[in-house]
Amino acid sequence: MFNEEPTILVVDDTEDNLDLLEFALKRKPIHLLRATSGKQCLEIAQEKTPELILLDIQMPEMDGFETLKRLRANPITAKIPVIFLTAQKKDVESIAKGLALGADQYLTKPIDTEELLVRTKMLIRIKKAEAELERTKADFMAMLVHDLRSPLIGIKSVVELVLDAPPGSPLSDDHVELLQSAHGSAEKLLELISDFLDLSKYERGNITIEKSNVPVSRFIEPILIQMGLQLKQKNITVTTQYAPGLPDVHVDPGKTEQVVMNFLSNAQKFTKSGGAICIKAEMDPENKDGKFVRVRITDNGVGIMPDEIPTLFSRYKQASSAKTVKQKGTGLGLVICKLIVEAQGGTVAVQSDPGKETTFSFTLPVAQG
């Protein structure tokens, strides 16, 4: 069922056809608008912006093809789904022409109202999904431009200040501090570019996995050493728990380190000073045949809202909690982690109790023989 009654604009130069359709849809969850010409269709579409237009091809003065051209040329009506009405199913030429002009589908007369309802629901869902994707891309591009622009401005400013120093003069402590700041900005740019390159490679399947049998600690302990200073600065306590007798896993150690680094960085980022993080590795309790190890990284930070979890591993998505921290990212890190884990035969998951704790986990195949 529809969440609300969609508005359909039906365009047909024969009043009887409109009367019959309106009668057939009388008890259906649809609000019907009528137009008896292409000109009237354009006027109503611009004023009412219906969710769907049912457009007859054969009309005097302005036929369906010309009407569709004008609908698509108007920014207000350009994205309204249009279903063409044809008099006969074998009118291949008209169908092909209509689809080429931007019609979404076609129906033949007489109209099957149940089929119309199904197609209406489907097209509305598609258009809503497309609109959401466009909004997501726009938000991401705005964030990306900001993230790229800020470090570039910083680097440019530092270079200009150093160049303004008298020729041959030694670098002062202030200059060294500025250069360190520029170096940090350059590292941020490199991180952004690396994320894009990695995602592009992984999505095209151009990822080389070099597996070997290694203990779980092989790709956890090095990351704890690398992040030791950051964790110490925030006074975050990290504990590790390895289940007794845990077998080796068959993975690419380097790429699995990247997964741990990303999940642990997120945990550190969203955990307040004095907080705690626990890394736990055990046989996957959901896999009874003992073929997978599950690694869980749990923090007692701000958490993630339940409605955001389903899209957390989608491109360009960031949880709303990301707005509360100074460290920003592209929203691509979690997508890359998911692709790495799945390329090795595992799965990723996340559970969160907002304000209490969040757990990111992933499974990896046990080494065989």
Side-chain angles (χ1 to χ4, degrees):
M1 295 295 291
F2 300 112
N3 293 328
E4 57 185 46
E5 290 188 1
T7 298
I8 297 180
L9 171 58
V10 184
V11 188
D12 195 313
D13 63 310
T14 305
E15 291 278 5
D16 288 347
N17 291 341
L18 294 174
D19 290 340
L20 286 171
L21 185 58
E22 187 169 8
F23 179 78
L25 294 172
K26 191 173 183 180
R27 298 183 181 276
K28 303 295 183 181
I30 281 179
H31 176 58
L32 199 68
L33 298 175
R34 299 166 54 135
T36 56
S37 68
K39 183 174 181 293
Q40 191 178 19
C41 166
L42 298 175
E43 293 170 352
I44 295 175
Q46 172 151 327
E47 181 184 351
K48 303 291 186 181
T49 57
E51 279 84 5
L52 180 73
I53 296 175
L54 202 58
L55 182 59
D56 189 23
I57 293 177
Q58 301 298 330
M59 294 187 295
E61 296 182 20
M62 186 188 300
D63 64 13
F65 299 127
E66 181 61 27
T67 304
L68 180 58
K69 282 183 186 178
R70 299 192 186 189
L71 285 168
R72 293 293 180 248
N74 183 344
I76 297 175
T77 60
K79 295 187 177 181
I80 299 175
V82 173
I83 295 180
F84 257 152
L85 288 177
T86 62
Q88 50 183 317
K89 207 165 191 175
K90 295 182 180 179
D91 187 6
V92 178
E93 186 177 340
S94 293
I95 292 168
K97 184 177 179 182
L99 294 175
L101 288 172
D104 294 88
Q105 293 185 15
Y106 74 92
L107 283 171
T108 54
K109 298 179 182 179
I111 297 172
D112 183 326
T113 55
E114 293 302 324
E115 182 181 2
L116 174 61
L117 286 171
V118 170
R119 294 201 185 197
T120 298
K121 179 187 283 190
M122 180 181 68
L123 284 172
I124 290 173
R125 284 179 176 173
I126 290 172
K127 292 301 176 180
K128 284 183 177 178
E130 289 175 348
E132 175 61 25
L133 179 59
E134 288 300 318
R135 282 194 296 271
T136 301
K137 283 184 176 180
D139 291 345
F140 172 75
M141 289 307 297
M143 178 188 68
L144 177 61
V145 169
H146 176 270
D147 285 352
L148 290 174
R149 185 173 181 270
S150 296
L152 280 172
I153 289 174
I155 294 170
K156 179 175 179 290
S157 300
V158 169
V159 172
E160 288 173 348
L161 285 169
V162 173
L163 289 174
D164 284 343
S169 61
L171 291 177
S172 67
D173 290 344
D174 288 341
H175 284 136
V176 172
E177 188 176 340
L178 287 170
L179 288 171
Q180 288 173 339
S181 173
H183 182 262
S185 295
E187 284 188 327
K188 177 62 178 175
L189 284 174
L190 183 60
E191 179 188 338
L192 289 169
I193 293 167
S194 295
D195 276 353
F196 279 109
L197 291 175
D198 284 348
L199 183 63
S200 177
K201 285 190 300 184
Y202 295 155
E203 289 191 328
R204 293 199 313 266
N206 295 345
I207 174 174
T208 303
I209 301 291
E210 298 180 356
K211 292 185 178 182
S212 58
N213 295 341
V214 296
V216 172
S217 59
R218 162 64 183 79
F219 48 80
I220 293 177
E221 298 302 326
I223 302 305
L224 290 175
I225 294 172
Q226 288 182 47
M227 293 191 60
L229 181 59
Q230 299 174 50
L231 294 164
K232 186 177 180 180
Q233 287 174 338
K234 288 188 70 174
N235 193 29
I236 294 175
T237 302
V238 180
T239 57
T240 55
Q241 299 177 13
Y242 301 112
L246 197 64
D248 288 353
V249 290
H250 189 56
V251 299
D252 183 318
K255 288 186 171 56
T256 309
E257 279 187 9
Q258 188 176 348
V259 175
V260 175
M261 171 68 85
N262 195 288
F263 286 166
L264 187 57
S265 293
N266 271 350
Q268 178 267 141
K269 188 187 302 182
F270 296 107
T271 299
K272 295 179 180 179
S273 179
I277 297 172
C278 177
I279 302 176
K280 184 177 182 181
E282 61 184 351
M283 297 304 296
D284 182 17
E286 297 177 13
N287 190 273
K288 303 303 181 183
D289 57 9
K291 291 184 179 180
F292 289 88
V293 166
R294 182 173 291 276
V295 179
R296 305 177 194 272
I297 299 176
T298 303
D299 66 74
N300 61 352
V302 296
I304 304 165
M305 298 307 294
D307 61 333
E308 295 179 329
I309 288 179
T311 61
L312 206 57
F313 290 96
S314 301
R315 289 182 66 168
Y316 316 131
K317 286 287 185 179
Q318 287 185 313
S320 58
S321 52
K323 299 174 184 177
T324 66
V325 298
K326 293 181 180 178
Q327 298 161 281
K328 303 296 182 182
T330 59
L332 299 178
L334 293 179
V335 187
I336 293 170
C337 287
K338 182 174 184 286
L339 292 169
I340 290 173
V341 171
E342 290 179 347
Q344 299 184 108
T347 58
V348 295
V350 60
Q351 294 177 312
S352 185
D353 188 354
K356 294 183 179 180
E357 69 172 33
T358 298
T359 298
F360 280 89
S361 68
F362 59 99
T363 61
L364 297 170
V366 168
Q368 302 297 316

